[in-house]
Amino acid sequence: MADAEQEVTEAEQKLADARKELDDGWAEYYQAVADAEKELTDARQKLEDGEREYQDGLAEYQDGLRKLEEAEQEIRDGERELAKAEAQLDDAKAELRSTEQQLEEAKAQLSGAKAQLDAGESSYQQLSGLYRQVSSAASGMNMSAEELIAYLTVNPDAMEGGAELLAAWNTASAQMQAQTGMPLSEASLAALRGMLDQSQREYQVGLSQYNQGLAQYQAGFEEYQDGLAQAATARRKLLQAKEELADGQKELEDAQGQLEDARKELDDGWAEYNDGKAAADRELADAYQKLQDGEAEYADGVRELEDGRQKILDGQKELEDAQRELRDAQRQLDDARDELDRVPGELEDARRELDDGWSEYTDGRTDAEREFADAERELLDAEQELTDAREELKDLKHASTYVLTRDENTGYVCFENDTSIIAAVSVVFPVFFFLVAALVCMTTMTRMVDEQRTQIGVLKALGYSGGQIMSKYLFYSGSAALIGSAVGYGLGSTGLPEIFWEIYGIIYGFAPLKLAPVPELAAMSFAAAALCSMGATWLACRMELQRQASELIRPKTPKAGRRVFLEYITPLWKHLSFLHKVSARNVLRYRSRLIMMVLGIGGCTALLCTGFGIRDSIAHVADDQFGEITLYDYSVTFQDGQTQETAKAYLEKYGWTEDQGLLVHSGSVDVLSGSGSKSVYLVSSSTDALEGFLSLHNEEGSVAYPGEDEVVLNAGLAESLGIAPGDTVWLRSGDLGDTMEVTVSGLCDNYVFNYAYIAAETYQRQTGEAPEFNTLYVLAHEGADHYAEGALLLEDEDVGAVTVNASTRERVDSMLSRLDYIVLVVVLCAAALAFIVLYNLTNINITERIREIATIKVLGFYQMEVASYVFREINILSVLGSLVGLGMGKWLHAFVMEQVKIDSMTFACRIAPLSYLISFAMTLLFTVVISAGMRPRLRKIDMAESLKSIE
């Protein structure tokens, strides 16, 4: 076996050597083929280029001949077309006069049609209004409109105003008979509506045709003017074409001689190319044959090697089979011995287990008989209890069943509201963060390219192309964008979701978060980062590379000094010290730096201001709702409707006076308007007043309780549906016989849930039945435990539920308190961004002015004076940026709160003065910290090196 393996190893070595020689031969062959093909390709390319040039020249010559003939033909055609165009212009002028007359006639017809349409629409509104009035009166008598008219025809005095209503109906019916051929009814109104709509469509068609005709007339008039101009231009072109024709004939004669010389040179080149190609093909064929023979020999060696390997594998397999059979036999022998040793012990254990089992059986049977007796007694007791419970059930009233969808589930609604706020914030903040970060990237990369201006000039002078030089800076900015976007995507897609999930998991008890990667978001992040960094780099490099190398190597020419606008304010300028004047000039002269710092610092201040503003807007919702609007403490819902007497008795029963309760009707309705519908709580007071229990007010003051056919809505609901005071809306519910049509008399503030308030008379008049006063608003006793009093009020058997506002307030506070963590994350991110922006801009400011700082140090300025000189400007710009940021923050906060749309909650848009102050102070604090951190760098500036760095 060892000898066979040795032989196989030697054969493999020989095959490897043969394979290497063969591969080298093939490589030489392919190289020779490539060289030959390259030489032939170059020669052929030259010939084809020559052929192409000849063909191009020939085509140009033939094209020139064709153009000459075409030019002659164009001159003749131009003369004919010019005469034809002048005739067409005369015809067009006459046609325009005719069209103008037709348009005037059509305009008069449209005016008449519009007047008829308006009259028909007015008539329809009167007829439909009368029909609705009669239908409304008929519904109160459980009749249709036609049945009521028939009844009044026989008994005109059956109802108040019946004779006048019958006369108006007959007049309207006659008018409808004249217009549609049918008496007044729903069908005739629909027919009249269809006729009006058809007339409207015909009027719109006529108006459209008139506008089209007018447009065609204007277009025709413009074409007529263009035709006049074209005719004059054509005359000039004819004269120029005749002159160019003579010049073209002379150029063609010269080109014909050049083409004949080029044809002779091409024929000689093709003969040399064919001879070289034949010789190269013969050499390559010989080399290919030798390589094929080597491949055949190598294949024979591989087959012999595989045969040797197969013999070795067969021997190894037989040896392994024999060893495996030996191991199986030994294992069977060992198992048999172990089993023989184990048999006596097992018999003894089995006997002992049998004795224990009989003992346990005897004890268990005794216990089971005792337990069976106890169970029979318990069963008899349970049957008696079941009988008593069935008797009690017979006395209970049937319960009301409520089907609560996911949208009514408290936990789900609270979580949806929380996530809605985060979703609204996530739409705005990333964009604003990105804009500020993009400003920093653009500033940094532009400054870096400007610093290496001399190096760019040296590279350009050494012969590097603009693309090679630019690629260095693009690679730097692109790699920074890639790394930064990768890190940011990783933190943003894993870190922040985990933080938010843990925050809400404390309250809701979520399952573990499963993160789903979003490749599109990663690609978008990288594309945006690359666009800012690489785009700014490309623009900066492109501007520098357009200059000559000698200009780039030399330092930039300083900008010419000029007066700033403060110098024109003489009283102010005279009282400034020298260093303050220098600082003022530096701030106002370098406008790009001023704009960059003001926008960068202002953006960060705006983010801080918005973060604190969100907290201010949501923190006081519960206090505003349950301290200023909802004044009652308990809402008692009865199973049946109540009267003032029963409500009074209920209050006195549990220790309240009559004036500590207000009986209202409460239910759910849908508010419908032209832009949609919303489900709200409907409240109707039994006393047409809510004072002391609910406060209807807005920013302008108190809102009056609605009168007949009026409704008061909360402002958040009105905004979402686009409703304003004076608009007509409809209230619809499954409990109402008909939909109520009411006018919005006012809008009131309300932050938790949506409400509609109407008078009891409105409810009764429009539905035909009095409202069921099923809810009692109750005020708490001073110093009493709200939950204990709520439990007391719930003891009455007629009470279905008691809502304690203190519990609702705590739930709202709990929900909104979780947003503090979200605001904290936003503020921390905004603060970190502000710190980075300030550090970057301050660093760039110092880097740009190293020579200036070195100069004032040479002039003898002390360290504190140098620091004051430099950081005074940064402090001024920070203050200006912060002030601008406060205004930007107010706008950004208003925009963010506009995006927060929650059906059951409304937030006031407010930023506390303290929030403005904290945002301003944090920005200035960052400025002070960064300035302190930059002081060592000022001390390290070497005066001599900085002053001679220009060389």
Side-chain angles (χ1 to χ4, degrees):
M1 184 67 71
D3 294 337
E5 291 178 349
Q6 180 63 29
E7 290 177 0
V8 169
T9 303
E10 293 174 355
E12 288 177 344
Q13 183 60 39
K14 291 179 181 180
L15 283 174
D17 296 338
R19 180 74 263 176
K20 185 175 184 303
E21 292 177 0
L22 192 58
D23 292 338
D24 294 339
W26 278 111
E28 292 175 359
Y29 169 77
Y30 288 131
Q31 184 61 40
V33 171
D35 295 339
E37 287 180 349
K38 185 175 185 302
E39 292 176 359
L40 289 173
T41 301
D42 294 340
R44 186 177 184 86
Q45 185 63 39
K46 291 180 181 178
L47 289 172
E48 288 176 352
D49 292 340
E51 186 73 26
R52 190 161 49 251
E53 291 176 0
Y54 171 78
Q55 293 298 332
D56 292 341
L58 181 61
E60 289 177 0
Y61 173 75
Q62 293 174 349
D63 187 56
L65 285 176
R66 187 171 61 255
K67 287 181 178 178
L68 281 175
E69 295 173 356
E70 290 174 356
E72 292 176 350
Q73 183 62 35
E74 285 176 0
I75 290 173
R76 292 191 294 271
D77 294 340
E79 291 175 347
R80 288 195 298 271
E81 288 176 1
L82 183 59
K84 182 179 178 181
E86 290 176 347
Q88 290 177 349
L89 285 173
D90 294 336
D91 296 339
K93 187 175 182 179
E95 186 176 355
L96 283 173
R97 292 197 187 96
S98 176
T99 302
E100 185 176 5
Q101 184 177 358
Q102 293 175 1
L103 287 173
E104 292 296 329
E105 294 174 356
K107 185 175 181 181
Q109 293 175 358
L110 284 173
S111 299
K114 178 64 176 175
Q116 293 178 359
L117 187 61
D118 294 340
E121 186 68 30
S122 176
S123 175
Y124 172 80
Q125 294 298 333
Q126 294 176 357
L127 293 173
S128 61
L130 177 61
Y131 187 82
R132 285 196 302 272
Q133 181 182 355
V134 174
S135 297
S136 177
S139 63
M141 301 176 66
N142 295 324
M143 298 181 181
S144 65
E146 289 77 10
E147 291 173 347
L148 177 62
I149 293 301
Y151 178 76
L152 291 176
T153 302
V154 179
N155 301 301
D157 297 327
M159 61 177 289
E160 183 179 356
E164 290 82 3
L165 185 62
L166 179 63
W169 175 275
N170 292 334
T171 303
S173 182
Q175 184 179 352
M176 180 63 76
Q177 185 75 29
Q179 292 182 1
T180 63
M182 295 184 292
L184 181 60
S185 63
E186 271 190 279
S188 61
L189 283 172
L192 181 58
R193 179 72 268 171
M195 293 169 59
L196 289 173
D197 292 341
Q198 180 64 29
S199 300
Q200 179 68 28
R201 288 192 293 272
E202 291 175 357
Y203 170 78
Q204 293 296 332
V205 171
L207 181 60
S208 176
Q209 292 175 351
Y210 170 79
N211 292 331
Q212 291 177 358
L214 182 60
Q216 291 174 358
Y217 169 78
Q218 294 173 347
F221 184 79
E222 292 175 358
E223 289 177 357
Y224 172 76
Q225 296 294 332
D226 294 340
L228 288 177
Q230 291 173 1
T233 304
R235 292 191 187 93
R236 291 194 300 272
K237 288 182 177 180
L238 281 174
L239 296 176
Q240 294 175 358
K242 290 179 180 179
E243 296 174 357
E244 293 173 358
L245 185 61
D247 297 335
Q249 289 174 344
K250 185 175 183 306
E251 291 176 359
L252 283 176
E253 291 173 357
D254 297 337
Q256 186 176 10
Q258 295 175 358
L259 284 173
E260 291 173 356
D261 296 337
R263 181 73 268 174
K264 185 176 182 302
E265 293 177 0
L266 276 174
D267 293 338
D268 296 338
W270 278 113
E272 292 177 1
Y273 168 79
N274 291 327
D275 294 340
K277 186 175 185 299
D281 290 340
R282 286 193 297 272
E283 292 176 0
L284 290 174
D286 295 338
Y288 183 80
Q289 185 60 42
K290 291 179 181 179
L291 289 171
Q292 289 293 333
D293 296 339
E295 285 284 353
E297 293 176 1
Y298 176 79
D300 295 338
V302 171
R303 281 195 298 274
E304 292 176 1
L305 178 62
E306 292 298 327
D307 293 338
R309 284 178 176 169
Q310 186 60 41
K311 291 178 181 179
I312 293 173
L313 292 174
D314 293 340
Q316 289 177 345
K317 185 174 184 300
E318 292 174 359
L319 179 61
E320 290 172 357
D321 292 339
Q323 291 175 347
R324 186 166 54 253
E325 290 175 359
L326 181 61
R327 286 193 299 270
D328 293 339
Q330 182 67 39
R331 186 166 54 252
Q332 291 174 2
L333 182 59
D334 294 339
D335 294 340
R337 288 174 179 170
D338 294 337
E339 188 173 355
L340 288 173
D341 294 338
R342 208 167 41 244
V343 167
E346 290 179 352
L347 288 174
E348 189 65 29
D349 293 340
R351 168 58 60 188
R352 188 164 48 252
E353 289 178 2
L354 181 60
D355 294 339
D356 294 340
W358 278 109
S359 177
E360 290 177 0
Y361 167 75
T362 304
D363 295 340
R365 183 171 182 178
T366 303
D367 294 339
E369 290 174 352
R370 185 170 55 255
E371 290 175 0
F372 283 149
D374 294 340
E376 288 179 356
R377 285 194 300 273
E378 291 177 359
L379 182 60
L380 292 174
D381 295 340
E383 288 178 350
Q384 183 61 40
E385 291 177 359
L386 181 61
T387 303
D388 296 340
R390 284 173 178 168
E391 293 298 326
E392 292 179 1
L393 283 175
K394 292 179 181 179
D395 299 333
L396 291 179
K397 298 180 180 179
H398 290 288
S400 300
T401 303
Y402 299 93
V403 179
L404 299 179
T405 65
R406 188 172 67 174
D407 293 337
E408 284 84 26
N409 181 273
T410 304
Y412 178 83
V413 171
C414 290
F415 180 66
E416 184 180 29
N417 291 342
D418 292 347
T419 53
S420 298
I421 296 173
I422 297 178
V425 172
S426 66
V427 172
V428 181
F429 268 80
V431 176
F432 208 78
F433 270 93
F434 173 75
L435 292 177
V436 177
L439 178 66
V440 176
C441 290
M442 295 173 65
T443 305
T444 304
M445 297 311 302
T446 304
R447 177 57 194 163
M448 186 192 76
V449 173
D450 188 63
E451 283 181 349
Q452 300 200 3
R453 185 171 180 269
T454 303
Q455 184 177 352
I456 294 173
V458 172
L459 293 174
K460 192 171 183 181
L462 292 175
Y464 286 89
S465 65
Q468 291 173 322
I469 298 172
M470 190 181 295
S471 63
K472 168 188 174 183
Y473 300 99
L474 289 177
F475 174 77
Y476 174 81
S477 58
S479 60
L482 177 61
I483 295 172
S485 57
V487 173
Y489 174 76
L491 294 176
S493 60
T494 58
L496 288 179
E498 289 287 355
I499 292 173
F500 293 152
W501 200 253
E502 287 298 324
I503 291 172
Y504 287 113
I506 297 172
I507 303 300
Y508 296 107
F510 290 131
L513 176 64
K514 293 183 179 179
L515 297 174
V518 186
E520 297 83 0
L521 182 60
M524 187 185 305
S525 302
F526 173 70
L531 177 64
C532 292
S533 59
M534 297 180 71
T537 305
W538 182 83
L539 288 174
C541 289
R542 183 172 177 271
M543 293 176 62
E544 297 296 342
L545 290 172
Q546 287 177 349
R547 296 184 172 87
Q548 297 296 326
S550 58
E551 183 182 354
L552 291 172
I553 294 173
R554 292 193 302 268
K556 277 187 176 181
T557 304
K559 292 183 179 180
R562 59 182 180 181
R563 301 177 69 185
V564 298
F565 76 91
L566 287 179
E567 297 184 44
Y568 296 99
I569 307 176
T570 305
L572 174 62
W573 190 255
K574 287 173 60 178
H575 287 84
L576 293 178
S577 65
F578 171 74
L579 291 179
H580 288 172
K581 290 180 180 179
V582 173
S583 298
R585 285 197 181 100
N586 287 336
V587 168
L588 298 175
R589 279 185 61 199
Y590 300 102
R591 294 181 181 175
S592 60
R593 186 171 65 192
L594 170 65
I595 294 173
M596 287 293 183
M597 290 199 70
V598 169
L599 289 180
I601 297 170
C604 297
T605 306
L607 288 172
L608 290 171
C609 208
T610 303
F612 288 119
I614 294 174
R615 175 71 180 87
D616 294 335
S617 298
I618 65 179
H620 303 291
V621 168
D623 294 336
D624 294 341
Q625 177 67 38
F626 298 101
E628 299 179 3
I629 298 173
T630 303
L631 305 179
Y632 63 88
D633 298 293
Y634 314 109
S635 175
V636 181
T637 303
F638 295 95
Q639 297 182 6
D640 300 317
Q642 302 292 310
T643 63
Q644 293 288 355
E645 290 74 16
T646 59
K648 178 182 178 181
Y650 170 78
L651 290 171
E652 292 177 348
K653 177 181 179 181
Y654 294 104
W656 273 269
T657 60
E658 182 179 5
D659 58 354
Q660 288 181 301
L662 175 66
L663 188 62
V664 300
H665 165 77
S666 179
S668 177
V669 298
D670 292 330
V671 177
L672 293 84
S673 69
S675 59
S677 66
K678 291 283 186 181
S679 180
V680 304
Y681 291 105
L682 178 68
V683 175
S684 178
S685 173
S686 60
T687 61
D688 286 345
L690 297 171
E691 285 78 6
F693 297 88
L694 283 170
S695 174
L696 302 184
H697 64 268
N698 52 32
E699 296 179 354
E700 299 176 356
S702 298
V703 177
Y705 191 80
E708 188 173 353
D709 293 337
E710 292 182 344
V711 65
V712 172
L713 303 175
N714 61 290
L717 171 68
E719 182 181 358
S720 63
L721 294 179
I723 299 172
D727 292 348
T728 298
V729 297
W730 293 264
L731 306 179
R732 182 183 62 194
S733 172
D735 297 335
L736 303 181
D738 294 310
T739 298
M740 292 188 289
E741 181 178 349
V742 291
T743 302
V744 179
S745 63
L747 303 177
C748 64
D749 290 340
N750 200 80
Y751 303 107
V752 181
F753 305 125
N754 294 318
Y755 285 90
Y757 303 95
I758 64 172
E761 291 79 3
T762 302
Y763 189 104
Q764 184 170 4
R765 196 181 72 80
Q766 297 215 22
T767 63
E769 58 184 18
E772 182 183 51
F773 297 108
N774 56 355
T775 302
L776 183 66
Y777 292 158
V778 182
L779 301 177
H781 291 102
E782 186 175 356
D785 184 347
H786 288 195
Y787 295 100
E789 286 193 337
L792 177 64
L793 292 171
L794 188 59
E795 290 180 357
D796 196 288
E797 61 180 9
D798 291 335
V799 175
V802 174
T803 301
V804 180
N805 283 343
S807 175
T808 307
R809 180 173 187 167
E810 290 174 1
R811 188 165 62 250
V812 172
D813 275 333
S814 175
M815 181 188 71
L816 296 179
S817 65
R818 295 189 291 276
L819 296 177
D820 291 344
Y821 299 102
I822 311 302
V823 173
L824 178 61
V825 172
V826 171
V827 171
L828 289 178
C829 292
L833 181 63
F835 192 88
I836 292 171
V837 169
L838 281 167
Y839 175 81
N840 189 66
L841 294 176
T842 304
N843 184 47
I844 290 174
N845 189 18
I846 293 176
T847 303
E848 287 179 340
R849 304 174 61 189
I850 284 180
R851 285 181 47 77
E852 179 186 350
I853 296 169
T855 302
I856 63 174
K857 292 177 76 173
V858 170
L859 293 176
F861 280 60
Y862 292 109
Q863 184 62 37
M864 289 298 297
E865 292 176 326
V866 173
S868 299
Y869 172 73
V870 174
F871 294 126
R872 182 184 297 113
E873 300 171 19
I874 296 174
N875 294 336
I876 293 173
L877 291 173
S878 296
V879 172
L880 291 176
S882 299
L883 293 176
V884 172
L886 295 180
M888 294 170 60
K890 182 177 181 180
W891 171 83
L892 180 61
H893 172 260
F895 181 77
V896 170
M897 297 309 299
E898 180 67 22
Q899 308 308 309
V900 179
K901 299 295 184 183
I902 301 176
D903 286 342
S904 60
M905 193 167 293
T906 303
F907 299 111
C909 183
R910 64 162 70 99
I911 304 179
L914 182 60
S915 298
Y916 283 116
L917 182 60
I918 293 175
S919 302
F920 185 79
M922 287 182 67
T923 306
L924 296 187
L925 177 62
F926 293 153
T927 304
V928 172
V929 172
I930 292 170
S931 299
M934 286 293 180
R935 286 177 182 269
R937 185 177 178 188
L938 294 180
R939 287 196 296 269
K940 293 178 182 179
I941 294 177
D942 185 50
M943 293 178 285
E945 291 298 325
S946 298
L947 291 174
K948 69 178 183 181
S949 63
I950 192 172
E951 302 172 4

